[in-house]
Amino acid sequence: MGTRTGGACSAWDNTECQGTPYCPPRCPRFTDGEGVPLVVRPFRDSDRDAAVAMYDDIDSYSRTMGLPPATMPQIESWLDRLRENGWNLVALDGDRVVGHVAVVPADRPDPKFVVFIHQEYQDRGIGTELMKQVVAYADDRDHEALTLEVSKGNRRAVTVYENVGFEVVERMHSDLEMELSLEQPVAERVQRPPAERD
């Protein structure tokens, strides 16, 4: 239950929520490490400008493996390709997109994904929550596994992926390929309603 101030939900406590048959694969509401209530949901057409703005404002430390692209036209083109070829989720603080994950191609049993969090919102548990959302949605869409490539030097990201259950399947020169089988119990765990989580 949340309190409303200025037309926006300022806080909620969903820890006793048992879910309903109409809930998405994972509860969209969560509170980050600083107590800020956020929502994770599928990307809508109306999110495009806010997502482009997030990527345009991402600092150089948050970029990896040449992504996101550097210029506004490149960002727009890249984001449009991700949306055309896959499925996407956004993390929202009010109307502001603060995180984005894209899973491509949508028709593969083991698609790859990319995830980015705006630097102002990093180290607050949002990346971990987005990972759990991706796993829940991927299982709901009958994917068999999720794969990703990550720079070996990006220890923060590697740790988040390992904590969710990803394993290294290939070591390349400067990158790792990681995979999460959706046959593992993690897919069921992340779909539990908030009241039933560990």
Side-chain angles (χ1 to χ4, degrees):
M1 190 63 100
T3 57
R4 294 188 66 80
T5 58
C9 189
S10 63
W12 57 70
D13 179 4
N14 63 352
T15 56
E16 296 188 27
C17 178
Q18 296 291 326
T20 75
Y22 306 105
C23 288
R26 180 173 172 86
C27 182
R29 295 179 174 189
F30 77 104
T31 303
D32 75 7
E34 292 190 6
V36 175
L38 302 170
V39 171
V40 175
R41 62 160 171 74
F43 196 109
R44 299 175 184 159
D45 289 343
S46 59
D47 297 323
R48 183 180 183 272
D49 290 346
V52 168
M54 180 195 86
Y55 281 119
D56 188 46
D57 192 44
I58 279 189
D59 64 20
S60 60
Y61 300 106
S62 301
R63 297 177 186 274
T64 182
M65 300 170 62
L67 296 174
T71 69
M72 184 76 82
Q74 291 171 329
I75 291 168
E76 291 172 336
S77 177
W78 173 68
L79 189 58
D80 290 343
R81 281 193 315 276
L82 292 176
R83 293 175 57 221
E84 289 167 13
N85 298 319
W87 52 272
N88 298 254
L89 304 173
V90 288
L92 299 163
D93 181 0
D95 293 332
R96 182 180 181 190
V97 172
V98 299
H100 171 239
V101 62
V103 180
V104 292
D107 58 355
R108 279 189 57 123
D110 61 343
K112 291 191 174 190
F113 72 94
V114 294
V115 59
F116 288 94
I117 310 297
H118 190 274
Q119 62 270 10
E120 292 174 17
Y121 288 80
Q122 292 176 7
D123 299 320
R124 293 164 56 169
I126 298 169
T128 298
E129 179 61 27
L130 272 174
M131 294 305 311
K132 292 176 181 178
Q133 293 279 349
V134 166
V135 170
Y137 275 89
D139 183 63
D140 191 58
R141 290 171 168 262
D142 294 325
H143 292 297
E144 296 171 9
L146 286 168
T147 61
L148 64 94
E149 289 181 16
V150 62
S151 168
K152 287 179 183 176
N154 192 345
R155 290 303 314 154
R156 176 174 49 193
V158 171
T159 299
V160 169
Y161 301 141
E162 288 175 338
N163 287 343
V164 173
F166 282 81
E167 297 179 353
V168 174
V169 293
E170 185 177 349
R171 295 178 186 277
M172 297 164 271
H173 178 66
S174 60
D175 302 328
L176 301 174
E177 184 169 333
M178 301 181 78
E179 181 178 275
L180 174 70
S181 167
L182 296 176
E183 300 298 317
Q184 295 181 26
V186 67
E188 179 188 331
R189 268 198 323 270
V190 298
Q191 293 182 52
R192 293 180 189 151
E196 297 177 15
R197 295 181 194 157
D198 304 345

